[in-house]
Amino acid sequence: MLEGIYFQFPKLGFILFFFLACEALCPLRSNPIYFPRNALFGTQESKPPLWMWVAKWAMISLFIVALMSPVREVKEEVRGYDILLALDPSSIQPETLEDIRSFIEKRPTDRFALYVPAPSPTIIPLTEDHETFLKILSQLTKENSEEKVTKEIERFFSTTPEASGWVIILSKEPKKWVRSLPIGVEVSIIEPTEDWVGVSHHSHPPFGRIAVEKYFEYYYIYPLFIGFLAMLLYLYGRNQKGLA
C-alpha cells in the first residue's frame, strides 16, 4: 500500500528535534495559586494521563510528516501518434471531410491537430477530444487561398518532444500549395481523391508512439487530517483536566 511513497522535503523532519529539545529544556509553566492551608486540599497532584501524551506527540509528528509532503510518482504509458492534418482550403469537399472523419474514428488513441491556411486560418492544436475536433471540421467550407504550407507547422509539435509527429498534407495541387516541409517529423503528401484512408491506416498502424507521462500523487492530506484529530483530542484532555 505504501510502496513507492517518498518525501519531497525529507530534511524538514529535523523540526521534530526542536520540539524534543523544547520538551526537555523548556517545560511548560503556569502561574501558581497559593492557598494558606494547602494541606486541607490533599497532596494528590493532577498528572496528565498517558493518552494525552500520545495525542500530543502524534499531533506534532503527523503535522511534520504532512509538511514533508509524502508523494508517489506515477508513470503512465501513452500510446498513439501526434497527427497534424494540413488541409488545402481549395480541396475541401464533403467527400474529403468524410474521409478525414473515417480516418480519425479508426485511431482513438491518437492526438490530432488541424491547420487550414487562409486569410482567416483555421487552427486546432493537438487534442484528444475527437468529438469537438470533428464538429469544427464539419463546419469547414471550400475557399480559394494563396497561402502555402511552410516549415512553421513544426510549432504544432513543440509541446511534445517525445512524440512521433506525423503531418498529413491533403491537397489536389501539392506542388503549388507546399512551399517547404518541416524538419524532424514525418510528412505524407496525399491527394484527397485517392483512397488514402486505408493506405495511411495500414502504413502507420495505431500505437505507433509510446511515451511515458509522469505525475505525482500527494498524500499529505492523510497525516494532516489525523494530526488535526489528535490535536482536538489533546485539547479536549487538557480542558477536562483543567491544565494550563
Side-chain angles (χ1 to χ4, degrees):
M1 180 180 179
L2 301 178
E3 182 180 358
I5 296 179
Y6 64 94
F7 295 105
Q8 278 191 315
F9 312 105
K11 294 182 179 180
L12 293 180
F14 286 102
I15 297 177
L16 181 63
F17 292 99
F18 290 99
F19 283 94
L20 293 174
C22 186
E23 177 77 9
L25 303 176
C26 310
L28 182 65
R29 297 181 180 181
S30 59
N31 295 326
I33 301 177
Y34 296 98
F35 295 94
R37 298 180 181 181
N38 54 2
L40 298 177
F41 295 92
T43 58
Q44 186 176 3
E45 298 180 355
S46 177
K47 184 178 181 181
L50 178 62
W51 64 267
M52 283 186 59
W53 182 88
V54 173
K56 181 182 73 172
W57 285 103
M59 170 188 67
I60 295 173
S61 301
L62 290 169
F63 283 162
I64 294 175
V65 169
L67 193 62
M68 293 165 63
S69 187
V71 298
R72 174 183 291 163
E73 185 176 326
V74 180
K75 298 180 180 179
E76 288 187 354
E77 189 178 81
V78 182
R79 298 172 177 264
Y81 279 93
D82 283 348
I83 303 176
L84 168 63
L85 296 171
L87 183 57
D88 187 344
S90 63
S91 301
I92 297 177
Q93 301 287 346
E95 297 79 7
T96 304
L97 299 181
E98 185 60 33
D99 288 341
I100 295 176
R101 173 182 290 274
S102 176
F103 181 70
I104 294 174
E105 291 176 348
K106 290 182 178 181
R107 312 180 71 89
T109 60
D110 293 340
R111 298 195 301 175
F112 287 90
L114 179 67
Y115 176 51
V116 182
S120 299
T122 301
I123 299 175
I124 304 176
L126 286 168
T127 178
E128 297 177 356
D129 188 356
H130 295 179
E131 183 177 353
T132 302
F133 186 94
L134 292 173
K135 287 181 180 179
I136 298 175
L137 183 70
S138 63
Q139 298 175 8
L140 297 179
T141 57
K142 180 179 179 180
E143 61 178 304
N144 295 321
S145 174
E146 296 182 356
E147 302 290 331
K148 296 182 180 181
V149 171
T150 67
K151 65 178 183 180
E152 292 181 359
I153 60 177
E154 294 173 0
R155 68 183 186 273
F156 284 91
F157 306 99
S158 61
T159 58
T160 55
E162 79 287 349
S164 178
W166 181 20
V167 180
I168 299 179
I169 297 177
L170 296 170
S171 175
K172 293 181 179 179
E173 299 180 346
K175 293 182 180 180
K176 295 182 179 180
W177 190 58
V178 178
R179 177 179 297 171
S180 60
L181 297 177
I183 300 174
V185 294
E186 185 177 357
V187 179
S188 298
I189 301 177
I190 300 171
E191 292 189 15
T193 55
E194 300 176 353
D195 183 15
W196 61 274
V197 176
V199 175
S200 299
H201 183 69
H202 287 89
S203 62
H204 296 76
F207 310 111
R209 173 176 66 88
I210 301 178
V212 177
E213 292 186 354
K214 299 180 181 179
Y215 64 92
F216 293 100
E217 290 182 349
Y218 290 87
Y219 295 90
Y220 66 88
I221 188 66
Y222 300 106
L224 188 64
F225 177 71
I226 299 175
F228 178 74
L229 295 180
M231 181 186 69
L232 294 179
L233 182 63
Y234 176 67
L235 294 177
Y236 170 78
R238 291 188 65 86
N239 184 57
Q240 289 295 107
K241 294 297 180 179
L243 299 175

